[in-house]
Amino acid sequence: MLRRAGLSLGQFLWRRKSSAEFSCSFGKAKMSRPVQAQKLEGLDKNVWVEFVKLAATYPTVNLGQGFPDFSPPDFVKEAFVKAVSGENAMLHQYTRVFGHPALVTILARFFGKLLGQDIDSLTNVMVTVGAYEALFCCFQALVDSGDEVIIIEPYFDCYEPMVKMAGGTPVFIPLRPKTPAPGKLMSSGDWQLDPAELASKFTRRTKAIVLNSPNNPLGKVFSKKEMELIADLCVKHDVLCFSDEVYEWLVYDGKKHIRIASLPGMWDRTITIGSAGKTFSATGWKVGWTFGPDHLLKHLRTVHQNCVYHCPTAAQEAVAQGFQREFERYGKPESYFVQLPQELQQKRDRLVQSLLAVGMKPIIPEGTYFLIADLSDFKAEVPDLPDCEEPYDSRFIKWMIKNKGLAAIPVSAFYSTAQKRNFDHLIRFCFVKEEATLKAAEDILQQWKLKKTGP
């Protein structure tokens, strides 16, 4: 072999030695310039990465991360199976970059009807890789360096880093809890904006406000009066609204979801964001969408086409078929959008009773997958450490996972640095779980109660 290559053994070994020395020298070389982009500074920590990993490390009943552990409805599963196993070969290939034609068409019809708005499927709708990408496109396309973006606390944790990555400055305003009537449990509706405080946050630098209703993690469903307050300020100050409505179908106790784009003066300044994951209990499909006026959406399209470019065709086809079914059954008892919140309200009420039994104080959510509980009475079990940098709720949940086998998410993760300590006595549970999971959580809480109270 060496002869054929024209190399003597000595030449071969010399070349290998030289190559090894070069590789070693190359491996030791270090770049002198910073590698990380400045816009990523301080954004590396993520609550989901940390607590999902911890929950997977210990035997745990996971009521932390927000996803159902039951299947989507049969009609969308069957649509997906048909899409991937049927004879239409094009459902395995690229589709239209800004949204599969079948999906954008039904989204335009469906939400056009709800909003009383003529929505063009090609210019007013864009499909994204989940609502997460939709949010990313909003900030990247419409927020510039020096722009301020108002964020209502508590907020889904990605809003703040996405604003900063776009070069903007987040401006926070908290929902403030009001004491409920004697003998009543606190509701997410008891958490409200102060109108004067909200108005003070709007300045000449304000570019947008992020609205999340129903709100994650609190479960608050903003009333029409609250929506009108926000809308009036947006119109007055010529401000955009990014309306995250992924939990739009999950409202309880007769509450009604109000779409802010339907209010006077708001269609032209609102980007509405939705999610098939939350709509059809299929979070792993990662199909989301935005709709709004073309003069805004065209900039999101620029980000999308230079980012992920395309969303999975078969999943879009299945979601389109799901919406077509629901369009035909809208408002009827057999509609999944009617049945799902009824089922989830029962799960919510079940978890509320389990938490009350162990001594936690749940805040009754009006919507979403989640409820928040006050654990102030548990500081005897897990003492507070005033000088500890880590928020109390974070330490408590780590203890709860390791010692009780029950996972949740710290609510301080949904607050700005200035507010974390004010709300670190709260933790978030996801109640959108199958019966066996909720029963396992109940058993853990019951054992906890027995240990607290004694025989």
Side-chain angles (χ1 to χ4, degrees):
M1 296 265 313
L2 294 174
R3 285 185 191 279
R4 290 176 188 166
L7 292 174
S8 69
L9 179 60
Q11 288 173 320
F12 175 73
L13 293 175
W14 180 83
R15 287 196 178 185
R16 285 198 61 177
K17 180 175 181 292
S18 299
S19 176
E21 288 175 350
F22 175 78
S23 297
C24 183
S25 174
F26 183 78
K28 290 179 180 177
K30 293 183 179 180
M31 293 187 69
S32 59
R33 69 176 64 186
V35 176
Q36 177 183 295
Q38 265 191 329
K39 62 187 175 184
L40 299 183
E41 189 69 34
L43 304 182
D44 53 323
K45 291 185 178 180
N46 184 285
V47 66
W48 311 109
V49 173
E50 180 180 10
F51 282 91
V52 169
K53 180 180 178 181
L54 192 63
T57 303
Y58 294 86
T60 304
V61 176
N62 190 352
L63 301 188
Q65 202 173 3
F67 62 87
D69 60 357
F70 49 81
S71 288
D74 288 342
F75 63 89
V76 290
K77 289 193 296 182
E78 290 165 1
F80 205 134
V81 170
K82 183 178 179 181
V84 297
S85 62
E87 296 182 0
N88 187 351
M90 294 310 296
L91 293 178
H92 297 279
Q93 310 306 327
Y94 295 132
T95 186
R96 178 175 170 271
V97 60
F98 302 121
H100 186 49
L103 181 53
V104 294
T105 298
I106 188 58
L107 288 174
R109 287 184 66 200
F110 199 104
F111 288 102
K113 180 179 179 180
L114 295 180
L115 291 170
Q117 180 76 34
D118 184 16
I119 296 180
D120 186 295
S121 63
L122 300 182
T123 60
N124 299 140
V125 183
M126 185 178 80
V127 178
T128 56
V129 180
Y132 222 85
E133 193 226 332
L135 286 162
F136 182 79
C137 287
C138 283
F139 294 116
Q140 289 295 318
L142 300 170
V143 175
D144 240 332
S145 179
D147 288 342
E148 293 181 350
V149 178
I150 298 172
I151 299 176
I152 300 169
E153 299 184 274
Y155 55 89
F156 187 52
D157 66 302
C158 76
Y159 298 163
E160 180 181 358
M162 284 188 181
V163 169
K164 290 179 176 178
M165 286 173 68
T169 302
V171 174
F172 302 102
I173 178 167
L175 289 162
R176 299 191 179 278
K178 296 187 176 181
T179 305
K184 291 193 68 176
L185 291 173
M186 180 175 282
S187 160
S188 60
D190 294 322
W191 295 55
Q192 298 177 8
L193 292 168
D194 179 284
E197 185 179 16
L198 177 61
S200 73
K201 301 297 181 180
F202 284 78
T203 72
R204 60 180 179 80
R205 295 180 298 277
T206 306
K207 184 66 175 289
I209 183 171
V210 184
L211 175 63
N212 178 209
S213 181
N215 171 275
N216 174 16
L218 183 58
K220 177 181 174 62
V221 177
F222 284 73
S223 68
K224 187 175 182 180
K225 182 179 179 181
E226 291 171 311
M227 291 282 195
E228 289 172 339
L229 169 66
I230 295 169
D232 289 346
L233 288 167
C234 286
V235 172
K236 178 180 178 181
H237 295 276
D238 195 22
V239 165
L240 302 176
C241 179
F242 303 155
S243 186
D244 181 351
E245 302 183 19
V246 298
Y247 297 101
E248 59 191 318
W249 303 109
L250 305 182
V251 293
Y252 314 125
D253 303 317
K255 295 292 180 181
K256 185 179 179 182
H257 172 62
I258 305 296
R259 294 173 172 82
I260 196 166
S262 68
L263 299 183
M266 289 305 292
W267 167 258
D268 283 338
R269 64 182 66 254
T270 301
I271 298 290
T272 302
I273 296 161
S275 163
K278 305 306 190 295
T279 297
F280 291 113
S281 306
T283 59
W285 291 11
K286 293 301 290 181
V287 176
W289 56 83
T290 63
F291 58 82
D294 183 49
H295 71 268
L296 298 181
L297 229 61
K298 67 181 182 181
H299 303 299
L300 274 69
R301 292 195 291 267
T302 300
V303 175
H304 177 78
Q305 73 189 24
N306 291 294
C307 181
V308 301
Y309 185 74
H310 178 270
C311 307
T313 305
Q316 291 190 69
E317 174 69 17
V319 173
Q321 296 304 317
F323 264 108
Q324 183 61 50
R325 178 192 185 275
E326 289 303 298
F327 185 78
E328 295 163 0
R329 292 164 175 77
Y330 182 74
K332 297 178 181 178
E334 60 269 29
S335 167
Y336 184 69
F337 296 168
V338 172
Q339 294 173 352
L340 182 61
Q342 293 173 349
E343 178 185 345
L344 297 190
Q345 183 171 324
Q346 294 176 4
K347 293 178 183 291
R348 177 202 69 175
D349 294 346
R350 179 175 180 173
L351 184 57
V352 164
Q353 293 305 314
S354 298
L355 293 171
L356 284 171
V358 78
M360 291 190 189
K361 300 171 185 175
I363 297 167
I364 310 301
E366 301 163 300
T368 75
Y369 281 180
F370 312 108
L371 68 79
I372 284 175
D374 187 331
L375 48 83
S376 298
D377 292 344
F378 283 76
K379 292 194 174 181
E381 294 196 49
V382 185
D384 198 0
L385 302 175
D387 297 328
C388 181
E389 290 186 5
E390 185 177 17
Y392 177 76
D393 54 352
S394 178
R395 291 192 302 106
F396 181 91
I397 291 173
K398 290 177 181 178
W399 172 86
M400 187 169 70
I401 290 172
K402 295 174 183 178
N403 294 277
K404 301 298 180 182
L406 185 61
I409 294 292
V411 169
S412 62
F414 302 94
Y415 278 92
S416 62
T417 301
Q419 291 282 6
K420 285 184 186 298
R421 290 291 180 182
N422 295 329
F423 295 93
D424 69 352
H425 59 291
L426 303 171
I427 59 178
R428 191 199 77 172
F429 292 98
C430 175
F431 54 82
V432 184
K433 304 294 179 182
E434 64 180 2
E435 292 303 303
T437 306
L438 293 176
K439 177 64 167 61
E442 282 180 355
D443 291 344
I444 290 171
L445 292 168
Q446 183 62 27
Q447 289 299 316
W448 197 346
K449 176 185 176 184
L450 292 175
K451 287 185 178 179
K452 283 184 68 179
T453 58

